[in-house]
Amino acid sequence: MIYRWIFAVLLVGMFCGPGLALDAKDLLVESPREGAQVALDRIIEDGKVLVRVADADNQPILGLTAEDFSVSQFGRKARIVSVESFAENLDVPRHIVLMLDNSGSMEQRNAVEPLLAAMDELLKIMRPIDQVHLVVFIDGQTQRIGGRDLHVRTFSSSDADALRNFVRQVYQGRLTVNTFLFEGMLAALDIVGRMPADEPKFMVVFSDGEDLNSRYTRDDVSQSIQNLERFEAYAIDFMPGAATDPFLSSFASRGGGQIWKATEEAALVPIFQAVASKMQYNYVISYLFPTEGRLAVSPAGLTIEEVKTIDASPLLGHIYFDTGSSDIPPRYQRFTNRLDTVTFEEQQLRGTLEKYYQVLNIFGKRLATNPDASVTLVGCNMDFGEEKGRQDLSAQRAEAVAVYLRDTWNIDPERIRLEARNLPEKPSTSRIDEGRADNRRMEIHSDHPAILDLVRSTYLNYRIDNSSLIVRPLIDSLYGVADWRIQVSAGGTTLAEVAGEGAPNDHYLLPLKLDRPQDVGAAGSIAVSLEARDRRDQQLSVAAEPVKVQFLQTSRRLAQQLDYRVQEKYALILFDFDRDTIDARNQGIVEQIAARIRALPQAAVEIVGHTDNIGSDAYNQKLSERRAKAVYDLLLAAAGGDPDKRIQYRGAGAQDPPYDNLSSESRAFNRTVAITLEYLARD
């Protein structure tokens, strides 16, 4: 049977966060132990309560542990941090007031030594933090206490030996002729009234006779009791006769305690031991309401599809130089000896910029492969500032490239023609730094179609239908959130992460960092977890339902004779600065794409025009649309039939550029039209 003690109180000091107080109503403390009655004595502080536990006969139950208690509030169960009996606890002091009858009848009844022995037993439960107050009678003298002149002596100490010595001096000295029971109780009650309100208080009255000499009455004592709250009262009736004194019984009952009847001196030791036991059945329970939480993620699944990509990248025949320099910048990949040129294959390169930074080696390889081809290297300068009119610098730039082709790729110097000029034939604007940087270049020209042809490669790319997750964290903490972290991972790799202090927002949009989508696909799922810590240093760890990953692999679909996705990418039209006309070389490439469109009637075709970031957004938007429309018109005418329903075009302006516009080459590659053919195939 579980006995419950429910109390409602405004608990000041329980905090959900700095400066925010909670109403701690209906705090429920209970014990699953059979027959245990739990009474909540008081709240010591936030998360710490003082309880008493007794059995059905109101006898203390000792030796309880955390498993013997539960604490809850409004149905929310707390985590028991610790349970300490008073013997173990060194945080909560006890205040014990002992009113001892030291009248002469004690000697007549041979009770002095038994009483001293009994007091020794009682003082064994003392801890260094406890305060014990002794009140005894005295003849012929008074002490002013609580506005009354009382025939009492008092002594207070936290030292058990000092208390023993005082009691021995009292009982082994001259005992009183008179009995001042009511005055002694009034003095003791005054001491109780001056004790801290939030700390346990006990008052024990030991009497071996009726009051015969007090100036005050039992009514005065009763009135004093009415003014006191929250203390436990015990009485030891050592008076002659079998009946328990009604006044002492009423006193103990009023204080929620107990009275014992001692009919002989031999009973004093066990009775005082019982009193000590009563003071020991208090427990200090420390608890915390756990911080709880949950985590929701959407979408519940995503698809990663392998796409066979046939990439035909334009070859930009420009090498850009630093101001006033003819040294080839280190971003352009160069071999240190001729042996490295043997294994170089441009088909192994991926990505337009990766191919571009190998442009010197691509030209070297193509010239070596096509011995009938020749090139013209045209050195240019920005014709501004320190480069103003510096055709000598232009010549040095052309020569630097020629030296590399001759010495590393063993190209016959007769096949390399050098020219020098100031601005390029088709320059960028000289009004801004970016345009001037674009003009510090060396251009490669050739009439041989293979030298400036597209750089083709085939590889697997990956398409993800959702590249971001929406994460909704919910943390329920009575004490407030100190910090938190949300992590998204797959296959041991972190894909996204967000962290903060205080309560998190209701949701976060987390872009996934998918450097290796194939690894995420192979993992089969994405894990999303939340780690948090509240202001009481409690840790919370929750995980959302894993995001399922469907991985469509080309090799598996081939083995199953299923369609797989193919994408052909042509970023081939590199326009001159601020131009939308298509030169003759690129018109030929458009014809090749038109042939692919005719051969692939199932292919969807998208044409997207781009620009660099020089100029206004509005102007660049119109320019990109003109570029896309120019390519669209050519393709539509060359493809024949009625393909316009599957050919779409648009201009992206300078927004969402393919490259970052931070270098001359990236701006050049942004002056483009990207053409994508997408279709399903089986072989």
Side-chain angles (χ1 to χ4, degrees):
M1 180 177 181
I2 298 176
Y3 293 86
R4 299 181 176 183
W5 191 91
I6 304 176
F7 103 110
V9 65
L10 176 64
L11 175 58
V12 179
M14 173 175 279
F15 293 98
C16 181
L20 180 61
L22 291 175
D23 281 340
K25 295 181 178 179
D26 297 323
L27 190 68
L28 179 65
V29 184
E30 59 187 2
S31 173
R33 177 170 286 206
E34 184 70 25
Q37 302 180 66
V38 180
L40 192 147
D41 184 273
R42 72 200 67 200
I43 293 178
I44 299 168
E45 60 183 43
D46 175 19
K48 185 177 288 188
V49 295
L50 180 66
V51 301
R52 292 175 291 162
V53 187
D55 61 19
D57 297 325
N58 201 30
Q59 295 303 309
I61 299 178
L62 305 178
L64 299 181
T65 64
E67 288 74 22
D68 297 307
F69 293 97
S70 67
V71 177
S72 60
Q73 185 179 31
F74 300 120
R76 184 170 186 161
K77 191 172 182 179
R79 175 173 63 90
I80 304 297
V81 177
S82 66
V83 171
E84 296 177 306
S85 68
F86 258 157
E88 302 167 311
N89 184 271
L90 294 177
D91 295 324
V92 183
R94 279 178 302 199
H95 298 270
I96 303 170
V97 183
L98 301 173
M99 199 236 77
L100 303 176
D101 186 334
N102 59 319
S103 61
S105 59
M106 288 291 297
E107 196 168 56
Q108 297 169 9
R109 299 176 64 182
N110 298 316
V112 171
E113 290 303 322
L115 178 62
L116 293 176
M119 282 295 300
D120 285 342
E121 292 297 315
L122 180 60
L123 293 175
K124 286 180 180 178
I125 69 169
M126 277 196 66
R127 303 165 301 163
I129 61 172
D130 293 335
Q131 186 77 18
V132 176
H133 310 264
L134 296 175
V135 180
V136 297
F137 309 152
I138 188 169
D139 289 324
Q141 298 179 34
T142 61
Q143 184 176 351
R144 190 74 175 173
I145 299 177
R148 300 181 178 95
D149 293 323
L150 305 175
H151 292 85
V152 296
R153 290 175 61 194
T154 61
F155 180 76
S156 299
S157 180
S158 295
D159 187 323
D161 289 336
L163 293 164
R164 288 189 187 94
N165 290 336
F166 178 81
V167 173
R168 289 188 176 276
Q169 289 173 8
V170 168
Y171 283 96
Q172 290 177 347
R174 179 179 295 179
L175 300 179
T176 64
V177 174
N178 299 303
T179 303
F180 304 102
L181 175 60
F182 299 149
E183 292 188 25
M185 292 182 69
L186 286 170
L189 289 169
D190 182 78
I191 295 172
V192 170
R194 288 185 278 110
M195 293 174 179
D198 59 348
E199 294 176 354
K201 300 180 286 290
F202 303 89
M203 179 173 164
V204 181
V205 176
F206 169 73
S207 175
D208 76 338
E210 294 183 355
D211 190 305
L212 301 175
N213 308 104
S214 288
R215 299 175 182 177
Y216 299 95
T217 67
R218 66 182 60 198
D219 290 338
D220 294 316
V221 175
S222 297
Q223 184 61 42
S224 293
I225 296 175
Q226 296 300 322
N227 297 328
L228 296 177
E229 293 183 356
R230 300 175 67 84
F231 79 100
E232 296 180 35
Y234 300 107
I236 303 169
D237 180 358
F238 190 42
M239 299 176 186
T244 303
D245 180 77
F247 174 69
L248 291 181
S249 295
S250 175
F251 164 75
S253 176
R254 170 64 182 81
Q258 183 177 345
I259 186 170
W260 288 266
K261 181 68 180 182
T263 57
E264 57 183 2
E265 66 275 10
L268 293 178
V269 169
I271 287 175
F272 271 74
Q273 288 175 332
V275 173
S277 177
K278 286 286 188 180
M279 296 181 188
Q280 289 288 85
Y281 73 165
N282 290 72
Y283 291 88
V284 176
I285 301 176
S286 298
Y287 63 90
L288 287 171
F289 285 99
T291 288
E292 301 173 343
R294 60 180 180 270
L295 192 61
V297 180
S298 59
L302 57 83
T303 299
I304 297 176
E305 183 179 16
E306 280 186 343
V307 180
K308 181 181 178 181
T309 301
I310 301 170
D311 187 351
S313 301
L315 188 60
L316 177 63
H318 296 169
I319 305 296
Y320 295 96
F321 291 83
D322 296 333
T323 301
S325 174
S326 61
D327 295 333
I328 298 175
R331 63 182 181 275
Y332 295 101
Q333 301 297 310
R334 286 173 289 168
F335 298 131
T336 57
N337 59 71
R338 292 183 179 179
L339 292 178
D340 295 328
T341 65
V342 176
T343 57
F344 176 74
E345 296 292 341
E346 64 182 59
Q347 293 80 7
Q348 296 175 352
L349 303 176
R350 292 182 56 166
T352 300
L353 282 180
E354 179 187 358
K355 295 173 182 178
Y356 170 70
Y357 290 128
Q358 293 278 1
V359 63
L360 293 174
N361 295 319
I362 292 173
F363 282 133
K365 183 75 172 185
R366 290 180 175 183
L367 285 169
T369 305
N370 299 277
D372 57 331
S374 62
V375 294
T376 299
L377 307 182
V378 182
C380 307
N381 63 65
M382 63 181 179
D383 201 25
F384 180 88
E386 65 179 274
E387 291 193 9
K388 183 71 174 177
R390 289 284 309 279
Q391 290 197 27
D392 60 319
L393 178 61
S394 302
Q396 292 168 12
R397 288 169 173 170
E399 178 62 24
V401 174
V403 167
Y404 180 72
L405 294 175
R406 291 197 304 263
D407 294 352
T408 301
W409 283 94
N410 199 28
I411 305 302
D412 186 348
E414 295 297 325
R415 299 170 58 194
I416 303 173
R417 181 169 174 265
L418 303 181
E419 291 184 5
R421 56 183 297 141
N422 288 319
L423 288 175
E425 181 181 355
K426 297 177 180 179
S428 295
T429 178
S430 294
R431 296 191 303 271
I432 60 175
D433 290 340
E434 289 85 349
R436 292 191 287 269
D438 293 352
N439 294 330
R440 295 193 303 267
R441 69 192 189 215
M442 192 283 313
E443 299 179 346
I444 299 178
H445 299 278
S446 178
D447 293 333
H448 196 289
I451 302 303
L452 293 170
D453 196 9
L454 303 174
V455 184
R456 294 176 172 84
S457 56
T458 301
Y459 52 86
L460 289 177
N461 213 337
Y462 297 89
R463 175 174 296 169
I464 299 93
D465 60 351
N466 285 291
S467 59
S468 299
L469 297 180
I470 299 175
V471 181
R472 294 181 172 85
L474 177 61
I475 302 176
D476 183 10
S477 174
L478 287 176
Y479 312 113
V481 180
D483 49 56
W484 55 272
R485 181 181 302 277
I486 296 172
Q487 188 175 54
V488 181
S489 62
T493 301
T494 298
L495 306 181
E497 193 170 44
V498 62
E501 296 181 351
N505 296 339
D506 60 355
H507 74 279
Y508 293 91
L509 178 65
L510 300 183
L512 300 179
K513 185 180 179 182
L514 296 169
D515 294 335
R516 291 184 56 81
Q518 62 271 37
D519 293 343
V520 178
S525 64
I526 296 175
V528 185
S529 62
L530 166 66
E531 303 287 337
R533 182 176 62 91
D534 68 18
R535 298 191 186 278
R536 297 299 179 85
D537 211 32
Q538 293 187 103
Q539 304 293 324
L540 170 68
S541 180
V542 295
E545 284 293 321
V547 177
K548 298 187 181 302
V549 178
Q550 182 184 22
F551 189 25
L552 303 180
Q553 290 180 276
T554 298
S555 58
R556 184 173 298 176
R557 297 183 72 80
L558 276 171
Q560 296 172 352
Q561 295 186 337
L562 298 174
D563 290 342
Y564 62 91
R565 193 169 300 279
V566 180
Q567 187 180 75
E568 296 186 16
K569 297 170 62 178
Y570 302 90
L572 73 160
I573 308 299
L574 295 182
F575 291 86
D576 295 321
F577 177 76
D578 197 23
R579 301 292 179 86
D580 58 16
T581 54
I582 302 173
D583 61 25
R585 181 170 67 90
N586 280 326
Q587 287 184 13
I589 297 174
V590 170
E591 286 290 342
Q592 296 178 33
I593 299 172
R596 294 295 294 159
I597 294 174
R598 291 193 297 270
L600 297 167
Q602 76 275 29
V605 183
E606 183 183 40
I607 303 167
V608 182
H610 297 277
T611 71
D612 59 28
N613 62 346
I614 299 175
S616 70
D617 288 346
Y619 181 85
N620 284 328
Q621 179 63 39
K622 293 295 185 181
L623 177 60
S624 69
E625 291 171 0
R626 293 198 303 271
R627 288 172 173 173
K629 181 65 163 57
V631 175
Y632 172 78
D633 290 341
L634 279 177
L635 278 178
L636 201 60
D642 186 25
D644 58 312
K645 293 182 180 179
R646 59 188 176 104
I647 302 178
Q648 304 293 324
Y649 77 93
R650 61 184 175 89
Q655 305 301 314
D656 192 25
Y659 308 102
D660 58 20
N661 281 307
L662 297 179
S663 63
S664 295
E665 56 268 25
S666 64
R667 287 190 292 273
F669 280 111
N670 284 337
R671 296 191 283 268
T672 189
V673 170
I675 305 169
T676 303
L677 281 66
E678 189 168 303
Y679 52 91
L680 295 176
R682 287 199 178 186
D683 49 32

